[in-house]
Amino acid sequence: MAQNDLIIRFGGEGGEGIISSGDMVAQAAARSGLEVLTFKTFPAEIRGGYAMYQTRFAHDNILCEGSGFDVMVAFNQEALDQNVKLMKEGTVLVYDYPGGDIAEEQNIPGVTCYPVPMSKTAKEDLGMYRVKNMVAMGAVAELFAISMDQIRETIKEKFGKKGAEIVELNFKALDAGRDHVRNNLKKTDPYKMDPGKPKEGTIIISGNEAVGLGALLAGVQFFSAYPITPATEVANYLSKELPKFKGTLVQAEDEIASIGNVIGASYAGAKAMTATSGPGLSLMQELIGLASISEVPIVICDVQRGGPSTGLPTKHEQSDLLLAALGCHGDASKVVISPEGVEDCVYLTVEAFNVAEKYQVPVIILSDGSLGFRTASMKRPDPKSLRIVNRELYKGNGKPFARYEFTASGVSAMALPGTPGGAYISTGLEHAESSAPRYTADNHSKMLDKRFNKLNDIEDFFPKTEADVQDGAGLGIITWGSTIGVVREAVKLARAQGLKVSALYPKLVWPLPLKALNGFTSKHKKILIPEVNKQGQLARLIKSETGLNSISYPIYGGMPFTPAMILDKIKEVI
Amino acid sequence: MTTATEPLKAKDYKSEIPPTWCPGCGDYGVLNAVLKAFADLQIDINNTVLVSGIGCSSRFPYFVKTYGMHTAHGRVLPVATGVKMARPELEVIAFGGDGDGFSIGGGHVPHVARKNTDITYIMMDNSIYGLTKGQMSPTTPLGMVTSTTPYGAPDNPLNPLAFCLTYGATFVAQGYSSKSKVVEDLVKRAIKHKGFSFVNIISPCPTFNKVNTFDFYKDRIGELPADHNTKDLNAALKYAFEGIDGKIATGVFYDVDKPSLLDRLNGIKDKAKASVDYDINKIIDDFIP
Ligand SMILES: Cc1ncc(C[n+]2csc(CCOP(=O)(O)OP(=O)(O)O)c2C)c(N)n1
Ligand code: SF4
């Protein structure tokens, strides 16, 4: 029986090749024409500790990591211990035995167990312990019909530079794994991937790379950041690509400097961006306020991680929403948007620049650890089809220039240095239209109104709130960020079971899309808000803006929701 | 309107906003010298950006007619860096005080110095916090009474010149606000210098610093000897720490030519075979499985 949706999880010690095994399976599946979505968690330490990488593949669009796994490949005892309680009836376990870290032959009720001597084969037959993961890959490919040719291709690309000998050794390990299955095991489980047809126009990309690509598509010219997990990959990717477009990339001495760099670059006319994670976003707050009051368009990508403080540096959390929306001294107008998946990471980053440019505001993109590290397949973007918005500029038309002129839209033209007649001071001090300091109560109120009111039509400019309303549903779910994919899948499952449920997926999370929100909440008796943080941050924001008492469903264990958890909750509250 | 044939005078660089400094503040002298330097260099109003942090001295950009940015306390150098790296053709000059630059912003100075970032940094050093009314600053002398040190300052002052020299600044100079002509010359040389140039200008705060007054400096300001070799880092450091003949030394301490941050970033772009119309589809191709 072929399977249309399969999740294979690799678990072992960090640094043992878990990640590259998962990557290769994902790559091979994508090449065979399948949709893929990966999920990894790893320890904050470079070596050691439990690391996990799973790949989900299917013929249809994959919405999230899924609920658990079908196949577990355990490289050591810890991986086994961590996952054994998650193995449901029918799960398959492939494990390193005998001769590895796992001391006993496994016999788990309801679980099909395939021992494969990964360490032993690698060490004793091939003389290189490091290729243990390839032995595992060979066994997995043979067991679940994953294209061996595609895996070989990936190996060639990955190790080609290291020389033919290394490639050969990896091939041998792969074959040894395959042969072990052929000669010693009898397949009794039903899982087998039915390859699709190689698809034209598909790419496979990580969430963090997708943000970088989105920035390039938007025309980013300047990027400055300070390394922090899980955001570093955005900078790594742009370091490689941005110079090709004559863009400038600076590694700053800290996050304060990086956002300072970005503000300077944008004032000078460049589309500019930084990427960080929670602790960095905390440090940037003062200058986010500066960008807000001085009306300098900037984009900040915050790849959220567990907090507060250093918290859980490699774990998943959606807990920076309140910081992003409200975390500035004074009344700072800003925009926060949050992508649900890697495709969104591309397009919403483009839109983040559009919003920043149109409204001359700081825009924060809230990604998160599991989304940033996830790789998934998506349709190749077409650069020509994108909407690109640029800021309104003072062209030096003889009219005296007032940088902070009161206009009907609240947005005033910006003069770029070099423009005759446009010289002005960009300032974080409250100012008159001319930009000269002015602290009168009247002027401060008017300027604050200007900076907030200019965002009045943002819900129409950024129409990314999708309402999936089912007739007769009493329960509506509202969620944000990468939890959207999980809820989408849970809603499908619920409806398949005859449950009536609606959902609202806002991508604009600050200011809240009130028209869409109110329209949705008025149609449903109960509103459930699942999110991965302790305080129920979106639920609080919604309550503060609309008075709505929702059923907040916060989780905070460093892992994303699963569709099964949402489905259970739906059943509980419906 | 001035035409190309009419050179701009110092007053033409003055904005409509009158300085808000106290009468007798040393910063007036700096402003006048800078305006003169601008006139002498015929600085292009439209292609010059003055960037500052927060403090009395950081109000500087408002009083000049060029483009400017008044940013946040201590953040003048990062913001100035962003302007210059994004638009290398612009003249970018950073202004601020000793508190702004070496206390809250002190973490940025070493990096701008070591990267040899192509900006000029003019510090108005009054050894006190002016705008917040007279607290101890990083250059306040040990033992001085200030509003936060009623029993005398417990911290050793730092040496801005030695600091910048040590971290690799390629142009380091010191002036005194009353010696307008010297300041004007230092500012001109600093602007013309490629890479990071730092000019510390002793600029008394008669309102809050009752020790380092104009009177105090009257006989305490000296000049570097005419034969000082500005390529000699050790000599520069010696003068920075010891002064000259028991006096505070002014003049150009150090002036060397080295690759700047822009040079190095351009090198990176060359390596990446950069072009403004690079086809983005080529990098999308890398993601084809
Ligand atoms: C983050 C932050 N902390 C503190 C302040 C208050 N503050 C404003 S100016 C200043 C000191 C200015 O001293 P200095 O840089 O020496 O400049 P001066 O006023 O003496 O020219 C301080 C502490 C502030 N604006 N922002
Ligand atoms: S307080 Fe001091 S530094 Fe500030 S303006 Fe007055 S004299 Fe100048």
Side-chain angles (χ1 to χ4, degrees), chain A residues 43-71:
Chain A
E45 294 68 31
I46 299 302
R47 272 201 84 86
Y50 168 65
M52 180 279 275
Y53 189 119
Q54 77 178 34
T55 305
R56 182 175 187 185
F57 27 103
H59 291 277
D60 312 325
N61 185 19
I62 304 172
L63 299 168
C64 67
E65 296 86 356
S67 304
F69 49 87
D70 305 301
V71 175

Side-chain angles (χ1 to χ4, degrees), chain A residues 248 253 261 268 417-419 426-427, chain B residues 46 62 67-68 70 78 87 108 269:
Chain A
T248 299
E253 57 271 23
N261 289 166
T419 314
S426 163
T427 176
Chain B
N46 295 315
Y62 290 110
Y67 281 84
H70 179 229
R87 294 274 304 277
H108 302 303
K269 288 176 195 175

Side-chain angles (χ1 to χ4, degrees), chain B residues 20-28 55-57 126 128-134 203-209:
Chain B
T20 39
W21 296 315
C22 310
C25 175
D27 294 350
Y28 286 103
C56 295
S57 42
N126 54 13
I128 199 93
Y129 282 8
L131 195 65
T132 45
K133 301 190 166 54
S203 178
C205 166
T207 308
F208 294 113
N209 189 335

Side-chain angles (χ1 to χ4, degrees), chain A residues 27 30-31 202-206 209 213 216-217 222 237 240-241 243-254 256-258 260-265 267-270 286-287 290 296 380-381 383 415-429 435-437 439, chain B residues 17 45-50 54 59 61-73 75 77-87 89-90 104 107-109 111-112 114-115 261 265 268-270 272-289:
Chain A
Q27 195 77 15
R31 285 186 181 184
T202 296
I203 60 171
I204 167 165
I205 183 168
S206 80
E209 289 166 335
L213 179 60
L216 291 168
L217 285 164
F222 184 90
Y237 178 66
K240 180 160 69 83
E241 305 299 354
K244 294 182 186 166
F245 298 86
K246 269 201 181 305
T248 299
L249 189 130
V250 173
Q251 179 171 320
E253 57 271 23
D254 55 38
I256 301 176
S258 70
N261 289 166
V262 165
I263 289 172
Y267 166 85
E286 189 194 15
L287 289 187
L290 172 67
V296 176
R380 181 191 175 103
L416 300 187
T419 314
Y424 76 100
I425 311 295
S426 163
T427 176
L429 209 53
S435 85
Y439 321 129
Chain B
I17 301 178
I45 284 177
N46 295 315
N47 283 296
T48 299
V49 184
L50 310 190
I54 299 294
R59 293 294 172 101
Y62 290 110
F63 314 137
V64 186
K65 223 180 212 161
T66 62
Y67 281 84
M69 299 183 83
H70 179 229
T71 66
H73 194 35
R75 309 307 160 202
L77 294 178
V79 178
T81 300
V83 178
K84 185 69 183 181
M85 292 305 114
R87 294 274 304 277
E89 75 278 16
L90 298 175
I104 186 167
H108 302 303
V109 184
H111 304 283
V112 173
R114 78 185 166 87
K115 292 179 183 201
L261 181 58
L265 291 177
I268 288 173
K269 288 176 195 175
D270 289 345
K273 301 195 183 44
S275 85
V276 272
D277 46 11
Y278 190 87
D279 182 6
I280 197 157
N281 285 299
K282 281 202 237 167
I283 66 164
I284 301 177
D285 286 346
D286 292 341
F287 295 113
I288 296 173

Side-chain angles (χ1 to χ4, degrees), chain A residues 43-324:
Chain A
E45 294 68 31
I46 299 302
R47 272 201 84 86
Y50 168 65
M52 180 279 275
Y53 189 119
Q54 77 178 34
T55 305
R56 182 175 187 185
F57 27 103
H59 291 277
D60 312 325
N61 185 19
I62 304 172
L63 299 168
C64 67
E65 296 86 356
S67 304
F69 49 87
D70 305 301
V71 175
M72 169 81 215
V73 184
F75 279 49
N76 64 8
Q77 188 66 43
E78 188 182 4
L80 193 55
D81 296 342
Q82 291 256 3
N83 289 284
V84 76
K85 50 190 178 299
L86 305 173
M87 293 181 192
K88 44 194 192 280
E89 181 79 28
T91 303
V92 175
L93 170 69
V94 179
Y95 64 108
D96 187 9
Y97 182 84
D101 178 53
I102 299 172
E104 275 170 40
E105 184 150 8
Q106 298 297 309
N107 190 354
I108 306 165
V111 174
T112 309
C113 301
Y114 297 125
V116 176
M118 308 168 191
S119 304
K120 189 162 174 274
T121 309
K123 228 176 349 198
E124 291 173 15
D125 303 350
L126 302 162
M128 199 195 231
Y129 178 68
R130 267 221 318 262
V131 295
K132 159 179 160 183
N133 64 333
M134 291 299 156
V135 179
M137 288 268 290
V140 166
E142 177 68 14
L143 279 165
F144 308 106
I146 296 162
S147 163
M148 196 74 111
D149 289 344
Q150 303 291 15
I151 295 177
R152 284 208 181 84
E153 278 304 303
T154 317
I155 289 176
K156 256 195 261 171
E157 281 159 27
K158 219 175 137 121
F159 298 114
K161 275 205 198 99
K162 293 188 180 163
E165 224 174 285
I166 298 289
V167 173
E168 245 349 277
L169 187 66
N170 278 284
F171 282 179
K172 264 198 200 151
L174 207 60
D175 292 345
R178 176 198 60 199
D179 294 344
H180 175 81
V181 172
R182 284 190 182 164
N183 302 334
N184 305 293
L185 300 177
K186 189 170 155 27
K187 183 170 165 79
T188 53
D189 71 89
Y191 299 124
K192 200 169 149 205
M193 212 46 227
D194 170 18
K197 285 197 191 66
K199 275 192 204 132
E200 277 296 306
T202 296
I203 60 171
I204 167 165
I205 183 168
S206 80
N208 281 337
E209 289 166 335
V211 168
L213 179 60
L216 291 168
L217 285 164
V220 67
Q221 292 148 314
F222 184 90
F223 183 90
S224 174
Y226 186 76
I228 184 168
T229 306
T232 307
E233 267 179 38
V234 179
N236 288 355
Y237 178 66
L238 284 172
S239 312
K240 180 160 69 83
E241 305 299 354
L242 185 53
K244 294 182 186 166
F245 298 86
K246 269 201 181 305
T248 299
L249 189 130
V250 173
Q251 179 171 320
E253 57 271 23
D254 55 38
E255 286 84 353
I256 301 176
S258 70
I259 188 168
N261 289 166
V262 165
I263 289 172
S266 177
Y267 166 85
K271 287 193 177 176
M273 177 180 173
T274 181
T276 188
S277 187
L281 188 66
S282 294
L283 283 176
M284 289 177 187
Q285 289 303 325
E286 189 194 15
L287 289 187
I288 292 175
L290 172 67
S292 177
I293 188 170
S294 61
E295 305 196 47
V296 176
I298 57 168
V299 175
I300 301 143
C301 171
D302 173 31
V303 186
Q304 299 164 94
R305 62 191 226 178
S309 188
T310 313
L312 307 173
T314 59
K315 293 285 189 300
H316 174 81
E317 215 165 79
Q318 299 178 277
S319 50
D320 295 345
L321 177 59
L322 292 176
L323 170 69

